[in-house]
C-alpha cells in the first residue's frame, strides 16, 4: 500500500517544491501544453464554450482543473495494489487555482464530498497559479444579447438523460447539454441521440458541450489503472458547473436521474464498493451546493426526477412518440461491449443492474408497446439463471431485496439511509424517497415474475 500525491503544474516553469509525507509517491499533472493552452481537454472545452458565446469564469476553470486531478487519481491509482484493504486509497491533491484563500475555505466540503463518493481518504490543498497564468479564462466581451441557453443538463446517452432532454425541449427550454465523451459505445449513443434531437427540433438553439479526458497507462508510477470509477460523476458535475459559470445570472445544473438509482439502496448487505455507487445521491448533491455557495458561484445542482421511478419517468415523458423512436439508441448497460466474446456487437446484456432497471421501466412505462431494446439475454424466463454467473447475480440480489421489503414494508424508510445520510432532506422528502424506493423495487419485481434462479 502506498499513499499518493498528485501535484498540478502550470507549465515547465512551475517548479514550486512540496514536501512529501512518509511513503508518499508523487505524480506530476502537467496542465499546460505548448505555451499557454490548457491540456486534458480543458483548453478545448474553453474554446468550445466560447464559440457558443459562453465564457466561463476563473473559478469555473478552477473547478475543471480540480476535476482533472480527481479524475487522474480515481482512474489511475489501483485499489488492488495501492490500498491496505483492497479498496480504500489515500490520495492527496495539490491544485493550483486563481484564488487559494477562497478555495481553501471550501476544501473541507470537497474532501467530505469525495470521501463519500469514492470511499477513499482524500486530502486537498490549494495554491496560487504561477504569475504567468493568473488569468486563463477568456475575457467576457461586452454584449447586448447573452448566450441563448436557459437550461443546463447532464446528457450521458442513457435513458434518464434522454427523457430529461426531451422534457426540457418540449417545455420550451433551450438547454446546453453536458457530456463526458467516454468509451466509444457511450459517445456513439450521445451523438446519435443529439443528432436526432437536432433534426426533430429543427431551428432550436440548444447545443451541447463534450469533454474528453483520459490518462494513459502508467500515468501514476508503479500503479495499474482502476476501472471502478466511483468518482466519474465529479468530472461530469464539474463540467456542468464550469459551463454554468459562463452563463448570465444564476444557473441550475439539472441531473436527470430516477430516485431508485439516486438513493441506490444496496440490494443486499454484501453489496459494497463498486456495487453501491453514490454518483447522484442527495447527500452528494447537497455537498456540491454547499461548495458552490462557498465559492461565490450563483448556481446550484438539482435532480428534478428524484421522486420518480424510471418507469414513471418513461410514462410521463412529454413526447412519448419521440421517446419510443430513441429508446433503442439510448445506452444503459454497465458493459455494453462484453458480447464481443460471443461475436456480438455493442448491445445491452439484459441482466446487469442498470439493464434490469431499464427493462422494468420500459415494460411499465411503454405499456402496451413492447420494449424495443435488443438484449443479449432476451428472455429471462427461458431457463433457470445461474446465480454464480454474471447473468444471475444481479437478478438474485433483486429477488432477495424484493422479498425482504415485501415481507417487511416498514423497512423502506430505514433502508434508504443505508447508502448515506439524508439529514439534508425534510421528513416529507425522506418519506417520498422511501416511496420511490418501494415502487422502484415493485417495477423490477413485475419484470422478474416467473424468472428462476439456481446456485451454480
Amino acid at each position: 500500500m502506498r499513499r499518493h500525491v498528485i501535484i498540478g503544474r502550470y507549465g515547465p516553469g512551475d517548479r514550486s517544491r512540496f514536501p512529501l509525507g512518509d511513503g508518499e509517491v508523487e505524480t506530476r499533472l502537467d496542465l499546460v501544453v505548448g505555451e499557454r493552452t490548457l491540456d486534458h481537454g480543458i483548453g478545448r472545452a474553453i474554446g468550445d464554450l466560447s464559440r457558443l458565446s459562453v465564457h466561463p469564469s476563473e473559478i469555473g476553470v478552477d473547478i475543471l482543473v480540480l476535476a482533472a486531478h480527481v479524475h487522474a487519481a480515481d482512474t489511475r491509482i489501483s485499489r488492488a495494489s495501492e490500498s491496505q484493504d483492497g479498496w480504500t486509497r489515500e490520495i492527496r491533491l495539490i491544485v493550483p487555482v486563481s484564488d487559494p484563500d477562497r478555495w481553501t475555505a471550501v476544501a473541507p466540503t470537497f474532501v467530505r464530498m469525495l470521501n463519500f463518493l469514492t470511499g477513499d481518504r482524500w486530502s486537498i490543498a490549494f495554491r496560487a497559479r504561477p504569475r504567468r497564468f493568473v488569468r486563463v479564462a477568456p475575457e467576457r466581451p461586452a454584449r447586448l444579447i447573452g448566450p441563448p441557453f436557459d437550461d443546463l443538463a447532464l446528457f450521458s446517452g442513457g435513458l434518464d438523460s434522454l427523457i430529461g432532454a426531451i422534457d426540457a425541449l418540449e417545455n420550451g427550454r433551450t438547454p446546453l447539454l453536458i457530456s463526458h465523451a467516454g468509451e466509444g459505445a457511450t459517445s456513439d449513443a450521445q451523438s446519435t441521440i443529439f443528432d436526432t434531437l437536432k433534426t426533430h427540433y429543427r431551428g432550436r438553439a440548444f447545443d451541447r458541450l463534450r469533454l474528453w479526458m483520459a490518462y494513459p497507462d502508467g500515468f501514476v508510477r508503479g500503479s495499474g489503472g482502476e476501472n471502478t470509477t466511483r468518482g466519474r460523476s465529479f468530472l461530469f458535475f464539474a463540467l456542468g458547473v464550469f459551463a454554468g459559470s459562463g452563463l448570465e445570472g444564476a444557473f441550475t445544473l439539472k441531473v436527470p436521474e430516477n430516485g431508485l438509482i439516486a438513493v441506490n439502496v444496496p440490494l443486499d448487505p454484501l453489496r459494497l464498493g463498486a456495487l453501491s455507487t453514490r454518483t447522484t445521491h442527495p447527500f452528494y448533491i447537497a455537498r456540491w451546493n454547499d461548495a458552490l455557495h462557498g465559492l461565490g458561484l450563483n448556481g446550484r445542482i438539482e435532480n428534478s426526477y428524484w421522486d420518480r421511478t424510471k418507469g414513471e419517468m418513461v410514462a410521463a415523458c412529454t413526447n412519448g412518440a419521440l421517446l419510443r423512436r430513441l429508446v433503442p439508441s439510448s445506452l444503459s448497460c454497465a458493459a455494453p461491449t462484453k458480447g464481443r466474446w460471443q461475436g456480438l456487437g455493442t448491445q445491452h446484456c439484459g441482466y446487469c443492474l442498470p439493464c434490469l432497471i431499464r427493462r422494468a421501466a420500459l415494460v411499465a412505462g411503454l405499456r402496451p408497446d413492447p420494449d424495443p431494446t435488443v438484449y443479449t439475454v432476451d428472455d429471462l424466463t427461458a431457463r433457470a439463471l445461474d446465480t454464480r454467473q454474471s447473468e444471475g447475480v444481479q437478478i438474485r440480489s433483486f429477488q432477495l431485496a424484493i422479498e425482504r421489503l415485501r415481507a417487511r414494508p416498514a423497512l423502506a424508510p430505514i433502508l434508504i439511509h443505508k447508502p448515506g445520510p439524508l439529514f439534508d432532506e425534510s421528513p416529507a422528502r425522506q418519506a417520498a424517497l422511501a416511496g420511490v424506493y418501494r415502487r422502484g423495487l415493485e417495477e423490477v419485481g413485475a419484470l422478474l415474475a416467473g424468472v428462476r434462479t439456481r446456485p451454480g
Side-chain angles (χ1 to χ4, degrees), residues 52 66 74 117 131 202 207 257 275 307 312 329 333 335 337 340 367 396 403:
L52 297 173
L66 171 60
D74 188 50
L117 179 66
R131 187 173 303 171
R202 193 180 305 276
D207 218 310
E257 185 75 272
L275 296 176
D307 58 348
E312 290 166 353
S329 299
C333 187
T337 60
R340 66 184 182 276
R367 188 180 296 118
R396 185 55 185 152
E403 290 168 7

Side-chain angles (χ1 to χ4, degrees), residues 270-284:
L270 298 180
R271 293 180 65 88
L272 304 173
L275 296 176
S276 183
T277 59
R278 296 161 167 172
T279 55
T280 55
H281 191 276
F283 178 83
Y284 172 63

Side-chain angles (χ1 to χ4, degrees), residues 5-9 18-19 69 92-96 123-127:
V5 56
I6 294 181
I7 302 177
R9 303 283 187 177
F18 304 96
H69 289 68
R92 183 161 68 102
L93 308 177
I94 300 178
V95 186
S123 173
I124 307 177
F126 296 101
R127 67 179 181 96

Side-chain angles (χ1 to χ4, degrees), residues 158-174:
L159 185 59
D160 288 11
S161 71
L162 167 59
I163 293 169
I166 291 174
D167 285 351
L169 290 162
E170 288 292 321
N171 288 322
R173 308 294 289 178
T174 303

